[in-house]
């Protein structure tokens, strides 16, 4: 073969082969042939050539094959539906198990955190109570010291006042003598 013939064969192999008589799948095309409106076999003319029983006999195997085909399609779809339901149920069970394990893990970690924080808080609470107790003791001690100092100051003031009165009396007595 020449190179020109080989190139022509390669080009024709690359081109998609479309039969113009085939119905179009394009639902936007109003000129597309609709199978329900245009049956594949025109039976209107067949009746004129054949008798009704011959046509009926010819149709029976076709109808039987069609029913068998429909039955196998329905069985296939039902089997796929059951398998889909099994898959969905298995998926839900798996998801449920995963969620339960996540929930248990989170609950366990929350309990551990709660116990840890409770221990920390409990120790801090006891320390705080001890400090409050010490602060009250110190407050009582300081109150007693303040009362003692007030008594000492009052006594010192009284002693000072008596000494001043004695000094005044002595001054007056000395001035009278002079």
């Amino acid at each position: 073969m020449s190179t020109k013939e080989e190139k022509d064969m390669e080009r024709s192999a690359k081109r998609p082969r479309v039969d113009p008589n085939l119905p179009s799948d394009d639902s936007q095309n109003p000129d597309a042939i609709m199978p329900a409106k245009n049956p594949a076999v025109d039976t209107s003319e067949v009746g004129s050539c054949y008798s009704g029983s011959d046509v009926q006999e010819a149709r029976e195997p076709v109808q039987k094959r069609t029913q068998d085909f429909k039955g196998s399609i329905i069985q296939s779809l039902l089997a796929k539906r059951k398998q889909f339901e099994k898959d969905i149920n298995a998926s839900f069970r798996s998801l449920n198990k995963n969620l339960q394990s996540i929930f248990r893990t989170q609950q366990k970690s929350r309990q551990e955190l709660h116990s840890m924080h409770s221990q920390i808080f409990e120790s801090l609470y006891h320390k705080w109570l001890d400090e409050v107790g010490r602060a009250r003791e110190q407050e009582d001690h300081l109150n007693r010291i303040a009362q003692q100092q007030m008594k000492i100051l009052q006594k010192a003031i009284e002693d000072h006042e008596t000494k001043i009165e004695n000094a005044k009396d002595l001054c007056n007595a000395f001035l009278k003598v002079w």
Side-chain angles (χ1 to χ4, degrees), residues 88-101:
I88 290 295
N89 287 336
S91 176
F92 277 127
R93 281 191 295 271
S94 172
L95 180 64
N96 194 18
K97 285 180 184 178
N98 288 341
L99 289 175
Q100 285 178 350
S101 76

Side-chain angles (χ1 to χ4, degrees), residues 48-75:
S48 62
C49 297
Y50 300 104
S51 66
S53 62
D54 291 336
V55 172
Q56 187 64 28
E57 287 176 16
R59 285 186 182 175
E60 283 178 10
V62 173
Q63 288 176 344
K64 189 174 183 181
R65 277 189 245 138
T66 305
Q67 288 175 352
D68 290 344
F69 185 67
K70 283 182 183 179
S72 66
I73 289 176
I74 289 172
Q75 288 175 351

